[in-house]
Each structure stands twice: as structure tokens, then as C-alpha cells.
Amino acid sequence: MSKKNLNIGEEVVPLLVAKELTKIFNNGVVALDQVSLSVQKGEFVFLVGPSGAGKSTFLNLVIRREVPTSGLIKVNQQNIALLKKKEIAHLRRSIGVIFQDYKLLPQKTVYENVAFALEVIGASPKEIRERVYNVLELVGLLNKAHVLPSELSGGEQQRVSLARALVNRPLLLLADEPTGNLDPDTSWEIMELLREINRRGTTIVMATHNREIVDKMRKRVIALDHGKLVRDTPKGGYHLEA
Amino acid sequence: MKLRTFFFFLREALKGLVRNRLMTLTAMGIITIGLFLFGMFFLITANFRYFTTLAWEEVEIRVFLEPAARNPEAVGHKLAALPGVAKVTFISKAEGAAALERMLGQKNLFLSGENPLPDAYTLKLTETADPKEVTRLASDIPGVEEVVFGRDFVEFLQMINHFTLVVGLIFLILTALAVLYIVANTIQLTVYARRKEIEIMKLVGATDSFVRWPFLLEGVILGLLGAGLAVFLLTEAYAFLVQRLGLYRRFLPLRADQELKVQLMIVLFVMGLFFGSFGSRISLKRYLKV
Ligand SMILES: Nc1ncnc2c1ncn2[C@@H]1O[C@H](COP(=O)(O)OP(=O)(O)OP(=O)(O)O)[C@@H](O)[C@H]1O
Ligand SMILES: [Mg+2]
């Protein structure tokens, strides 16, 4: 503790903080129940738990797709619930999200889908070209740049959505079951990419059901069940080891 | 806004229009039909107003002078100075007699010495004049014996005039609202078809106005195209009508002036612009809440 305090400044301030975060939907479902946690810059965190545990809801609260019923959620010291419309847009630019259903635009090519995230924030054409080709190279899709998503495999589409999440150079990457529909080999390709991105300094929060991956990666594991935080272990596995 | 950004929006808008061809044509067709109807009411109203002004020009007030009036010219000046009087014409007793003889088809109605008709003036009124007021003021002028005007006809005209104004306005407003409603709903369909795109834009950090611009431009382009088409169809149809009814123009005079055409174009293009932009704005509202 004292050692950390000597290390003054940014290291001490968490990137993501939730305090007694609660989300009750209009239909009465308690998706999150008094969840408190904090994530430091540079961490890689798995968010695990059975279906309906509230993992996606948590990620949606971080990007302000949902508003908390009570409690607090902060990204980079900003209270997400208090943001104005413009600030929400800016928050989302600093967070990359990989959606489980990819959310790619079917009429746009791979290149255009990724470039879209930069056009939206008004980057210059030169910058867009450079960054898009860079990130497509990173995810190994340079040769498919001008292909439509419908002509890609599931793993390739997942990588497009990863490329789009990364192209803004986000502080924080949220991944909602990025290996959900993929075979084990392809899943590991994606995980290797995420590990590499994390090594380069991006904080990652990944919701998953994939026990094998969680067990092998030995990263911090936060488990939710029926909306409650039931476990938070550094370098843990999918289940509590006996 | 940077020019580059504007062109990005314009490109996105054009892409959207081309990609959703069927929707584009439908929306444009509906705007055209709506504006055509609107323009039709506009022309009908304009022509009604035109008939009534033409009829108004026929309205005359007759002012008969006292037989002993010493200075008819002075009365004439006073009449000309009344508010609402456009033109004053002197009709001497001899001219009055001649007119009467022509009307009755009889010559030498009176012997020249015994012409019982008084000297008179006829007054033409301006468009905004109130004939009753003019009559009252004219009767007060010394030397005036009697003032006569077709009270019933004037009142009828005034009534028609108010009626067309009110009915015309109501019709114009109703068609405008109906068109706005239909256009907003049609654009709503194109927006609905692209709700996923809107959601993704918002999730990667686009501001509302950024999302709105291409749709706004689409709406504006649709509105202007629809207006252009409506103007073309209406002016052609109207020119045809004017030509066909040319024979009857004594009974049914139609306005065929350039000014009306320009007014029609301005009104329809402004409406098209308004419908397109406002319609897309209303339809987007719901989908921006991501
Ligand atoms: N928009 C919503 N309206 C009402 N209830 C919702 C809504 N979104 C989620 N829920 C409910 O909240 C609970 C948590 O859902 P959530 O999607 O966060 O679970 P999850 O942990 O992501 O599950 P999975 O692993 O299946 O993706 C579920 O019971 C779900 O039915
Ligand atoms: Mg989920």
C-alpha cells in the first residue's frame, strides 16, 4: 500500500471504477446488484458468469448504452451518468468495443467499416488511410480490405470488429464474448491479438463463457452471478480452484 | 463545418439515396404528389383572388350633383381626394342623356332644354377601399345630391373575397400538414431501414448532428427533386388548361402571368426544402437515442 502511494499520480488512479453499481430494468429484472470493482490502467480482466449474470449489462453501462439505476460508474474519473450528449460521444471514442454480434455494416467493405469509426470523429483522409491499413495489418486482414463482411468467415468478421475497436487507439477495450461463435483455433488467434494489444498498453475487459481460455490465460477474473459480484481473483481461473 | 466534412456528408447522402433506390423514388413521388396538390390549391386560390379583383374593378359609385351645383369641378376634386377612390370620371347631363338613349334604343328622349338628368361623377375604387365609407363621405360633400352604388353586389364580392382567403388558407395549411406527415413517415421508413447504421455510428462515438447531417441532406435533396418535378408537372398542366380555356376567357379569366409562375416556383421549392429537412429531423429523433 505504502509502496503504491510513493508511486504518485496516474498509476494510483483506476481507469474504471464501479461503486455499488445497480441496474434494474423496466421489467423488474435486476441485472446488476451492488457491484463494486476497479480496474487499473493496463490490466487484462475477464468478466465471467453464467448466461444472464449481467456481463453485457455491465459493459453497456460503461459506454452509456444504459444508465445505472443506482450506484456509480466512472471511467477515467468521469461519472458516466452525468455526461452530456456530446461528452457521451467523446467517451465512446476513447473506448473500443467488440460486440458479440460484430455490428458490421453489410454494405460497406472491411476497409470502409473500419474507416467509419475515424470518419465519424472527423479524421483527415490521410490519417484515416494510414491508420486503417495499420490496424488491418495488425489483425491480419490487409488482403481482405476491399471485401464485404458477408464474404468473410466468422473469425475474420470478429477481427474486423476488433480492428474497428482499435483504430481510434482507445484507452480501454471492451470485448463481449469475442470468441463466442468461433472454433478453438480461431479463438486462440483472437486471444493472441488481444494479449498483444494489452501488452502494448491497452486496458482490456473481456466478458466470456470460455472456460479453457480463462484458465490458460491466468489473468484477473471477476465473476458475476445473478447480478452480484461473487469473486474477484488476480491470475485466477474460470472456477475457484479447490 | 469543414468543406471536406460537408462533402463527406453529401457523399453519404447520395450513397444512401442510390442504395435505397425504391425508397428514394417512393419518397420523391409522395413529395411530388403532395406539392402538386399544394400547388394546385395555390393556383386555385390565386385565380379566385384574381376573379374577385377583376369584378371589383367593375364596381362603380355614382355621384349625382344637385341641379344647381355651381362648381362641378370643385366637387370632382374633392371626390378624387377621398380615401379609396382610384379614378373619377365626369358625366355631364348631355352624356348621361346620350347613354340613356343608347340604353333604351330611343332617340331624342328629351328636348335639349329640358334634360332632367343631373351632372354626375362615376368613381372607381382601389382594391382596399370600403365602398360604404366612400359613399358616406361623398354624400357629405356640398353640391352632392345623391350617391348610388350596387350595395348587394359589393357585399357579395366582399364576402367571396373573405371566403376564398379563409378557405384557401385552410386548404393550404391542411395540405401542408398532410404532406409533412406523409413525408415524415416515408423518411421514417428510410431511417428505419438504416437504424443499424445509425446505432453503430453512435456507438463508435458520432455526435447526433454528425448522424443527422447526411439524412438532412437526403431529405433536402428529396424535397428539392420532388418540388422540381411538381413545378414542372403543374406549370405544364396549367399552361394546357389556360390554353384550352382561352376561348372562354371572358367568363373564366385565368392568370397566365410570369409573376404567378415565379411565385409558384418559390413557394413549392421552399415547401420542398422545408418538408425534406423537417421531415428527416422528426423521423430521426427516435433512432438517435442510442
Ligand atoms: N434491455 C433489457 N431489458 C430488460 N431486461 C434486460 C435487458 N437487457 C438485459 N436484460 C436482462 O438482464 C439480465 C442480464 O443480462 P445480460 O445480457 O447482462 O447477461 P449476460 O451476462 O451478458 O448473459 P450472456 O452470457 O447470455 O450474454 C438478463 O436477465 C436479461 O434478460
Ligand atoms: Mg451478454
Side-chain angles (χ1 to χ4, degrees):
Chain A
M1 184 68 192
S2 58
K3 200 171 178 194
K4 242 188 184 168
N5 279 344
L6 284 177
N7 215 346
I8 309 168
E10 47 193 84
E11 289 302 315
V12 186
V13 178
L15 183 60
L16 176 63
V17 179
K19 276 201 188 114
E20 296 172 11
L21 186 62
T22 301
K23 176 68 189 179
I24 304 172
F25 284 107
N26 288 335
N27 58 3
V29 173
V30 183
L32 284 180
D33 190 359
Q34 307 262 346
V35 170
S36 299
L37 58 85
S38 80
V39 176
Q40 302 293 328
K41 280 192 186 123
E43 271 195 281
F44 193 127
V45 181
F46 284 115
L47 202 56
V48 303
S51 193
K55 305 181 293 292
S56 299
T57 303
F58 181 79
L59 299 183
N60 286 336
L61 284 165
V62 177
I63 56 169
R64 182 64 195 264
R65 266 178 111 186
E66 302 286 354
V67 199
T69 308
S70 69
L72 180 74
I73 179 143
K74 278 170 133 185
V75 174
N76 227 357
Q77 293 183 288
Q78 274 186 305
N79 184 342
I80 302 303
L82 299 182
L83 295 183
K84 299 193 189 69
K85 274 189 173 185
K86 261 238 164 71
E87 296 169 329
I88 296 173
H90 285 277
L91 167 83
R92 288 173 178 171
R93 292 172 195 184
S94 63
I95 301 176
V97 186
I98 309 177
F99 298 96
Q100 186 172 6
D101 57 353
Y102 316 136
K103 290 208 188 294
L104 301 177
L105 292 168
Q107 327 87 334
K108 289 190 191 283
T109 64
V110 167
Y111 178 92
E112 288 167 340
N113 262 289
V114 178
F116 198 59
L118 290 174
E119 266 151 5
V120 152
I121 64 170
S124 75
K126 183 168 167 282
E127 196 178 359
I128 292 177
R129 217 174 311 120
E130 279 176 17
R131 286 222 216 164
V132 174
Y133 281 123
N134 274 338
V135 78
L136 285 181
E137 187 176 9
L138 176 70
V139 300
L141 278 179
L142 264 186
N143 57 336
K144 301 267 166 103
H146 300 291
V147 162
L148 291 176
S150 54
E151 302 164 45
L152 296 177
S153 72
E156 285 167 335
Q157 292 186 43
Q158 192 64 273
R159 279 187 276 159
V160 179
S161 119
L162 173 60
R164 187 185 56 198
L166 290 176
V167 77
N168 270 338
R169 304 189 178 142
L171 286 169
L172 177 61
L173 182 69
L174 305 179
D176 198 351
E177 304 190 19
T179 58
N181 305 320
L182 307 180
D183 63 70
D185 285 350
T186 323
S187 298
W188 275 112
E189 279 173 25
I190 297 282
M191 288 318 297
E192 279 310 320
L193 273 172
L194 289 180
R195 210 204 306 248
E196 174 59 25
I197 288 152
N198 176 240
R199 208 174 283 139
R200 295 185 189 186
T202 305
T203 311
I204 298 182
V205 177
M206 170 172 158
T208 185
H209 283 301
N210 195 321
R211 173 198 305 208
E212 194 200 329
I213 284 177
V214 175
D215 286 343
K216 281 211 179 120
M217 296 274 291
R218 308 307 299 177
K219 299 286 187 188
R220 178 175 169 195
V221 175
I222 294 174
L224 294 176
D225 193 2
H226 290 94
K228 288 202 166 63
L229 193 154
V230 290
R231 182 160 58 95
D232 186 346
T233 8
K235 297 186 190 289
Y238 196 88
H239 291 292
L240 258 187
E241 285 110 298
Chain B
M1 190 196 313
K2 281 183 238 154
L3 203 62
R4 182 163 51 74
T5 320
F6 179 78
F7 281 120
F8 172 76
F9 290 146
L10 193 63
R11 214 169 50 237
E12 288 291 306
L14 291 176
K15 269 197 236 161
L17 288 171
V18 173
R19 200 182 294 133
N20 306 307
R21 247 158 282 150
L22 202 63
M23 220 61 238
T24 304
L25 288 178
T26 315
M28 206 178 85
I30 287 174
I31 295 177
T32 305
I33 293 170
L35 288 179
F36 187 89
L37 283 178
F38 185 86
M40 219 166 76
F41 281 121
F42 181 81
L43 288 175
I44 291 174
T45 314
N47 273 301
F48 250 104
R49 308 273 308 160
Y50 181 55
F51 299 157
T52 51
T53 28
L54 284 185
W56 191 251
E57 279 167 16
E58 298 297 312
V59 171
E60 278 183 357
I61 293 185
R62 273 192 180 238
V63 180
F64 295 102
L65 304 190
E66 287 167 358
R70 266 163 299 153
N71 194 349
E73 270 172 46
V75 177
H77 288 305
K78 281 185 186 148
L79 287 171
L82 292 179
V85 173
K87 199 175 145 211
V88 177
T89 319
F90 181 64
I91 298 168
S92 66
K93 36 165 83 180
E95 281 166 328
L100 198 59
E101 283 168 358
R102 236 180 295 124
M103 218 168 85
L104 299 174
Q106 210 177 335
K107 295 208 162 176
N108 302 323
L109 203 55
F110 314 112
L111 294 172
S112 59
E114 346 167 337
N115 181 351
L117 297 175
D119 284 333
Y121 281 101
T122 54
L123 308 181
K124 293 270 187 190
L125 301 179
T126 62
E127 252 179 81
T128 51
D130 175 4
K132 278 180 224 156
E133 183 65 8
V134 174
T135 306
R136 197 180 59 75
L137 290 172
S139 331
D140 288 347
I141 297 174
V144 169
E145 167 110 19
E146 199 186 357
V147 181
V148 177
F149 79 103
R151 182 179 295 266
D152 292 344
F153 182 59
V154 163
E155 282 175 356
F156 174 70
L157 269 189
Q158 282 179 325
M159 196 193 74
I160 293 268
N161 227 344
H162 284 147
F163 184 75
T164 47
L165 190 65
V166 171
V167 171
L169 271 179
I170 290 176
F171 264 112
L172 290 182
I173 290 171
L174 284 183
T175 37
L177 286 179
V179 172
L180 183 62
Y181 179 78
I182 297 171
V183 169
N185 273 293
T186 314
I187 296 181
Q188 176 104 45
L189 290 176
T190 76
V191 171
Y192 180 80
R194 291 164 67 187
R195 66 197 180 286
K196 200 176 162 195
E197 195 172 333
I198 297 174
E199 187 197 10
I200 294 174
M201 286 173 95
K202 295 255 3 220
L203 288 178
V204 297
T207 55
D208 283 0
S209 69
F210 188 93
V211 178
R212 217 180 271 131
W213 265 103
F215 286 99
L216 195 75
L217 287 180
E218 273 185 43
V220 165
I221 292 171
L222 280 177
L224 291 182
L225 285 177
L229 200 56
V231 165
F232 172 76
L233 292 176
L234 258 182
T235 48
E236 287 298 307
Y238 188 69
F240 179 74
L241 195 72
V242 168
Q243 192 216 333
R244 270 336 257 301
L245 295 181
L247 281 177
Y248 311 105
R249 64 172 306 126
R250 271 195 57 193
F251 314 104
L252 195 63
L254 288 177
R255 276 185 73 176
D257 48 315
Q258 204 58 30
E259 196 193 333
L260 182 68
K261 199 169 165 180
V262 172
Q263 277 177 3
L264 180 75
M265 278 168 71
I266 292 175
V267 166
L268 290 195
F269 275 107
V270 168
M271 295 286 289
L273 202 71
F274 170 76
F275 287 150
S277 50
F278 198 61
S280 69
R281 213 191 152 95
I282 307 176
S283 347
L284 262 179
K285 220 171 171 110
R286 179 139 58 99
Y287 296 98
L288 285 174
K289 286 186 194 136
V290 177

